[in-house]
Amino acid sequence: MDRVPFLNVLKDVVGTLNESRKLFLKKKKLMFSVLVFPLMLNGLVYLFTVLAIKPEITNLIQESNLLPMMDPSSPEYIAQLMRVFADFRQFVVSSYFFSTVSFVIKLLSVLVIVHASALTHKDENVKLGDFPVLTLKSWKGPLVTYFYISLFTLGYWFLFFIILFPLLLLSSNVGSLATKSWALFVLFALFESYLAIVWYLSLVISILDETYGFQSLGKAAKIVKGMKPKLFLLNLFFGLLCFGLAQIVRLVDLRWSFAVTLTTGLVLVGSIFAVRMFQLVTYTVAYFQCKSLHGQDIESLRDVEYTKLSSTSLMGALP
C-alpha cells in the first residue's frame, strides 16, 4: 500500500473512532447506561462462575489424586471412581449453565449497544425503558446470524489445525516447530480479522435491518466494498488492544491471595468486554457510513437472492 493512501485510511480509522466516541458525549446517560449495566452483569456472572466452579475443580482434583493410591480391584476404588465421575458431571453442568447465561448476557448487550448507538447517531429520542421492547423485537436476527458466524469461525480454525497437524508430524526440532506454529497462527489470526469485517457488519445489519443469517452476511459483503481497509485496521486495533489486556494474566502470581487474583480477573474480563462493546459501536457507525457511501444502492440489496452467493462471498467477499 502506498504511503499517501495508507495515511488516508489511517485518517479514516481515527475519524471513525472519534465519531464513535462522540456518541457517548451526545447522549451521555443513555450510552453509558447501556455500556455499564451489561458490564456489571458480565462481571457478576464472572464472579459467580469463579466462586461456584473453583470449589468443584478443587474437589475434582483432590478426588482424582486418591485413585493412583488405591487398588483398582477393590470396591473402594470403584466407589471413588464413581465420586470422580459425579464431580466431573457436576463441573460440566455448572460450566454449561454459566456459559449459557454468559452468552445470553452477551447477546442482549450486543442488541442494546447497537440499538443505542444507531438511535444516538440518528438523533432520535429514546428512553432506557424502550430497550426491552426493542430487544424482544430484534433478538432472533442476531441470534441466527451469530450461529452462522460461529459455524464459519469453527470451520476456519478447524482448517488451521488441519494444516498444523502435518507440521507436528514432519517437524523434529521443537524450536522450529514452535516458530512455524506461531507464524501460522499469526497468519490465520490476521486473515480472520479480514473475514470478521463481514461478520461484525452482518451482526449490526441483523439488528437494524429486517435481514439475518445468510441474507445479512450477503448484504454486509455487498455494502462493505470500499470500506475494507479501514475496517481491517479497526479490527487489528481492537484485536491488539484485547491481546494486550490479556497479557495482564502473565502478571498474576498464583501465590497472591484469592481475592487479589479474583479482582485482577474481574478487571481483565470487564476491560475486554468494554473494548468489544465499543468495537460494535464503531461498526454501527461504519454501517451508516456504508449507507452514505452507497446511497440508494443499499436499499435495492433487499431484493437480491443472497442465498445464491458463493461461500467465498459469505466468508469475506474476497476481492
Side-chain angles (χ1 to χ4, degrees):
M1 182 181 293
D2 295 336
R3 182 178 179 181
V4 174
F6 176 75
L7 290 178
N8 290 335
V9 173
L10 199 59
K11 183 179 179 180
D12 290 340
V13 170
V14 175
T16 301
L17 289 173
N18 190 44
E19 187 175 350
S20 303
R21 178 187 62 86
K22 288 180 179 179
L23 293 183
F24 286 88
L25 301 178
K26 185 182 293 186
K27 293 186 178 181
K28 297 179 181 179
K29 182 179 179 181
L30 173 66
M31 292 300 297
F32 281 100
S33 296
V34 299
L35 179 62
V36 172
F37 185 66
L39 188 62
M40 292 175 58
L41 288 179
N42 191 64
L44 287 174
V45 171
Y46 167 79
L47 290 175
F48 282 122
T49 301
V50 174
L51 294 176
I53 290 183
K54 183 180 181 295
E56 295 179 359
I57 295 176
T58 302
N59 190 49
L60 180 61
I61 293 174
Q62 291 175 347
E63 296 286 354
S64 300
N65 289 337
L66 296 176
L67 290 175
M69 299 181 290
M70 303 176 68
D71 182 7
S73 60
S74 64
E76 291 80 7
Y77 181 86
I78 301 299
Q80 183 67 22
L81 188 62
M82 291 298 101
R83 281 193 289 270
V84 171
F85 284 149
D87 291 339
F88 180 73
R89 183 170 57 251
Q90 180 62 38
F91 167 73
V92 171
V93 171
S94 299
S95 300
Y96 179 79
F97 171 76
F98 284 112
S99 297
T100 303
V101 173
S102 179
F103 173 77
V104 171
I105 291 176
K106 179 182 178 181
L107 180 64
L108 294 178
S109 302
V110 170
L111 282 163
V112 170
I113 198 70
V114 171
H115 274 306
S117 302
L119 292 170
T120 302
H121 186 274
K122 294 187 292 185
D123 287 323
E124 293 188 9
N125 292 324
V126 64
K127 299 179 181 179
L128 287 174
D130 297 331
F131 282 93
V133 177
L134 290 173
T135 302
L136 290 174
K137 289 176 61 177
S138 58
W139 67 269
K140 180 180 178 182
L143 179 62
V144 175
T145 303
Y146 189 81
F147 172 75
Y148 284 112
I149 293 174
S150 299
L151 290 182
F152 283 131
T153 304
L154 288 174
Y156 180 78
W157 286 106
F158 181 71
L159 178 62
F160 167 77
F161 286 107
I162 290 178
I163 298 175
L164 181 64
F165 185 70
L167 292 178
L168 298 176
L169 295 178
L170 299 176
S171 298
S172 56
N173 186 285
V174 178
S176 175
L177 175 61
T179 302
K180 293 178 181 178
S181 301
W182 178 249
L184 183 64
F185 173 79
V186 171
L187 287 175
F188 265 73
L190 287 174
F191 192 61
E192 186 190 32
S193 295
Y194 181 81
L195 298 178
I197 294 171
V198 171
W199 298 344
Y200 280 121
L201 192 58
S202 67
L203 201 56
V204 174
I205 290 173
S206 66
I207 296 173
L208 300 180
D209 290 353
E210 297 178 355
T211 57
Y212 52 86
F214 277 109
Q215 289 186 339
S216 62
L217 286 164
K219 185 172 183 178
K222 290 284 187 180
I223 70 173
V224 80
K225 293 178 180 178
M227 301 278 289
K228 284 186 177 180
K230 178 178 72 174
L231 294 178
F232 176 65
L233 289 181
L234 277 172
N235 285 349
L236 289 182
F237 170 75
F238 287 113
L240 290 174
L241 187 57
C242 289
F243 178 78
L245 290 172
Q247 300 313 300
I248 297 176
V249 175
R250 294 188 176 185
L251 303 177
V252 177
D253 191 338
L254 296 178
R255 292 172 295 182
W256 293 350
S257 66
F258 176 68
V260 174
T261 304
L262 184 66
T263 303
T264 304
L266 180 61
V267 172
L268 172 63
V269 170
S271 300
I272 293 178
F273 181 84
V275 169
R276 291 305 184 188
M277 290 300 100
F278 186 74
Q279 184 177 12
L280 285 170
V281 175
T282 62
Y283 263 85
T284 306
V285 171
Y287 165 76
F288 287 105
Q289 290 175 346
C290 288
K291 291 184 68 173
S292 177
L293 179 65
H294 291 273
Q296 298 299 322
D297 292 340
I298 190 173
E299 299 299 331
S300 63
L301 292 174
R302 295 183 178 180
D303 299 327
V304 178
E305 186 64 34
Y306 294 108
T307 55
K308 295 180 181 179
L309 286 172
S310 64
S311 58
T312 303
S313 297
L314 293 177
M315 285 292 289
L318 301 179

